[in-house]
Amino acid sequence: MDATKLMVWIDQDLCTGDGICEEIAPDVFEARDDGLWVVKESANHFGTAIVFDAGEGPGHGPEGSRGVARVPDSQIEDVIEAAEECPGECIMIEPYDAQIMADRGV
Amino acid sequence: MIPEAAGTLFQPSAPRVGRVEATKNWSLMEHLRPIERCVLSMSAEGVEIDEIAKRIRKTPDRVESIIAWTDIPRSRPATRRSPSPVESRVLALLADGETHERIGRRFRRSARYIRQVEGLAHYRQGTEILSRNRDGMD
């Protein structure tokens, strides 16, 4: 499992749906059916894939501020670039917090 | 939306970061992206956050985030030979028939800025091809 110092989430209320984030960091961002983007944890980094798209069942997690994904250390540069390039300024980066991770419910 | 679950360090609600110290060693900033160096440089010169935001067409909250993110250790320099994702996206949208004006509105930038991005993307494509050809001849 990859080391992680950061977490990331998307405020879907601000997402403009341009998808630049996924082009920059496809391991961390993914398009949802409604044309908005969500964060995810990829199996190749964390063993289990979780998409924070408010979907039901295993492999899905909450969206918005509760849908916080761990950022693999190898992806830090790309995630920062994605946040800085995001036209909607909707990508939020935070330092890793075990309590928030526990509150995700996944 | 105010994040009730989120932390505070990089959040807009966190206290405003102060002006970046003018004593920062700029030779150590080479790993940062151009926009990050630009924001740090303006902040060190004493430009207010609101003014920086206006100049780079971001919100003050995002400018503060960008300054905070410069403290995150990076594992590689932000150098790029091929077109960046934004440049690729601009080229793709233009190829799809979008105008510079419409793309500018989507990206909250001027049409002139989009033309600059397009020009830079073509330049990078050219240098990438030249470099590939050179590598192939070695």
Side-chain angles (χ1 to χ4, degrees), chain A residues 20-81:
Chain A
I20 291 170
C21 54
E22 187 177 352
E23 288 191 30
I24 296 172
D27 285 0
V28 179
F29 302 100
E30 182 174 303
R32 198 168 59 180
D33 291 345
D34 61 1
L36 300 179
W37 261 256
V38 298
V39 294
K40 68 178 179 182
E41 292 180 0
S42 300
N44 55 336
H45 293 294
F46 295 109
T48 309
I50 306 174
V51 181
F52 294 89
D53 58 354
E56 291 179 4
H60 297 278
E63 63 175 0
S65 62
R66 293 200 174 279
V68 182
R70 290 170 289 177
V71 177
D73 282 353
S74 60
Q75 299 287 305
I76 285 176
E77 288 85 358
D78 291 341
V79 168
I80 291 174
E81 181 178 354

Side-chain angles (χ1 to χ4, degrees), chain B residues 35-92:
Chain B
I35 191 170
E36 294 171 326
R37 291 199 296 268
C38 171
V39 167
L40 287 182
S41 165
M42 281 192 279
S43 182
E45 287 167 10
V47 181
E48 294 295 327
I49 295 288
D50 289 348
E51 177 60 24
I52 297 173
K54 212 180 296 174
R55 290 190 197 175
I56 67 168
R57 300 188 187 202
K58 303 270 185 194
T59 63
D61 286 339
R62 186 76 355 176
V63 170
E64 290 180 346
S65 293
I66 288 172
I67 292 172
W69 296 336
T70 60
D71 284 334
I72 298 171
R74 317 286 170 86
S75 60
R76 63 168 191 267
T79 52
R80 191 184 297 280
R81 184 189 287 171
S82 55
S84 72
V86 174
E87 291 161 357
S88 302
R89 171 49 67 101
V90 165
L91 290 183

Side-chain angles (χ1 to χ4, degrees), chain A residues 5-9 65 68 91-100, chain B residues 2-17 61-62 64-69 72:
Chain A
K5 289 192 279 288
L6 298 177
M7 315 180 298
V8 64
W9 60 278
S65 62
V68 182
I91 297 171
M92 311 297 174
I93 300 172
E94 298 176 20
Y96 183 83
D97 185 315
Q99 185 58 52
I100 291 175
Chain B
I2 301 298
E4 66 274 13
T8 56
L9 184 59
F10 303 132
Q11 290 305 302
S13 56
R16 290 205 156 193
V17 293
D61 286 339
R62 186 76 355 176
E64 290 180 346
S65 293
I66 288 172
I67 292 172
W69 296 336
I72 298 171

